[in-house]
Amino acid sequence: MLDLFSEDAPWSEPLADGAVILRRRARDESEALITLINDVAAQNPFYHRITPGGHRMSVAMTNCGDFGWSSDSRGYRYSEQDSASGKRWPPMPDRFRALAVSCAQEAGFTGFSPDACLINRYEPGAKLTLHQDKDEQDLKAPIVSVSLGLPAVFQFGGFERGDATQRVLLEHGDVVVWGGPSRLRYHGILPLKPGVHPLAGAFRFNLTFRRAFR
Ligand code: MD6
Ligand code: FE
């Protein structure tokens, strides 16, 4: 149980209408989450996908759940199999689902039922340029994003790529939930600074839970 009166209890920070950071919300179970990430990666390894434009992504990715997000020369999409291995994605661990559902609920999104979890792994220098998440069928469902390991600067913008962005540091155990009016905001991650995290070593991991299909 979380001790809400202890000095280091989680707190929340509004980001925009429909978007909130639940600070340290996943911290107490982070060791278990990292073990589960390693289990998924043992079945379906992280790798650097190629964008439709032919660039190798600096972020390495894998997925778990009924569907996984990937990118190759034919485009971005959700699929039941990893196009690289031809295998189905490993199932979404119950603990992952429970965390995502409870964070969504806390942010006001009841009934969230994720069918996909994209796992990003950042090494020093890895970044994610400004993008929108719009490959999901049901844009009414929120996205729940869990940060683990090394901290990173998150950029949160508007509805056009050129709009001004806010910069916020996302640290180990922080959870961002967004949906509703913010669902299609541009966002990205600045290049990761090198470091060593006691549980994640030289990496940052990010889990994003989505509802890909209705
Ligand atoms: C990351 N996150 O934190 C990248 N997308 O590594 C995302 O791209 C993201 O945090 C949609 C919703 C929440 C996110
Ligand atoms: Fe995204």
Side-chain angles (χ1 to χ4, degrees), residues 1-210:
M1 272 305 280
L2 297 167
D3 176 0
L4 297 177
F5 300 99
S6 79
E7 269 175 32
D8 55 5
W11 68 100
S12 69
E13 290 172 24
L15 249 185
D17 197 10
V20 65
I21 310 180
L22 308 175
R23 293 286 188 189
R24 314 295 190 264
R25 180 65 172 65
R27 184 194 49 198
D28 289 352
E29 57 180 307
S30 59
E31 193 163 3
L33 296 173
I34 290 171
T35 300
L36 290 166
I37 291 172
N38 290 328
D39 291 349
V40 169
Q43 297 170 68
N44 229 299
F46 283 104
Y47 71 95
H48 298 268
R49 290 165 203 286
I50 306 296
T51 65
H55 298 285
R56 174 187 186 268
M57 295 184 78
S58 59
V59 178
M61 298 177 173
T62 187
N63 290 271
C64 61
D66 292 341
F67 302 98
W69 185 89
S70 65
S71 150
D72 61 20
S73 57
R74 294 182 313 170
Y76 300 113
R77 70 184 157 276
Y78 284 96
S79 53
E80 290 180 277
Q81 281 126 17
D82 183 348
S83 60
S85 65
K87 288 197 300 185
R88 305 221 29 174
W89 303 107
M92 188 184 298
D94 291 342
R95 183 162 208 147
F96 278 18
R97 180 183 306 279
L99 174 65
V101 168
S102 126
C103 291
Q105 170 113 37
E106 201 172 316
F109 298 95
T110 51
F112 181 48
S113 177
D115 58 6
C117 173
L118 170 65
I119 310 177
N120 289 329
R121 188 188 70 188
Y122 296 73
E123 59 200 50
K127 63 181 166 52
L128 206 56
T129 52
L130 284 177
H131 66 277
Q132 293 171 297
D133 285 52
K134 56 178 185 188
D135 297 325
E136 299 76 24
Q137 252 179 21
D138 181 5
L139 295 175
K140 286 206 257 323
I143 293 181
V144 175
S145 158
V146 179
S147 292
L148 296 166
L150 292 177
V153 179
F154 182 69
Q155 294 176 290
F156 193 65
F159 300 98
E160 308 280 346
R161 191 180 295 278
D163 289 351
T165 58
Q166 304 182 53
R167 290 181 173 195
V168 288
L169 191 69
L170 293 182
E171 296 180 279
H172 181 71
D174 289 349
V175 177
V176 186
V177 181
W178 87 61
S182 282
R183 183 63 177 69
L184 288 176
R185 282 182 187 272
Y186 276 89
H187 58 280
I189 293 284
L190 296 184
L192 193 80
K193 294 215 174 88
V196 179
H197 185 275
L199 297 176
F203 297 113
R204 170 179 186 260
F205 295 101
N206 174 257
L207 305 170
T208 43
F209 294 91
R210 299 114 188 286

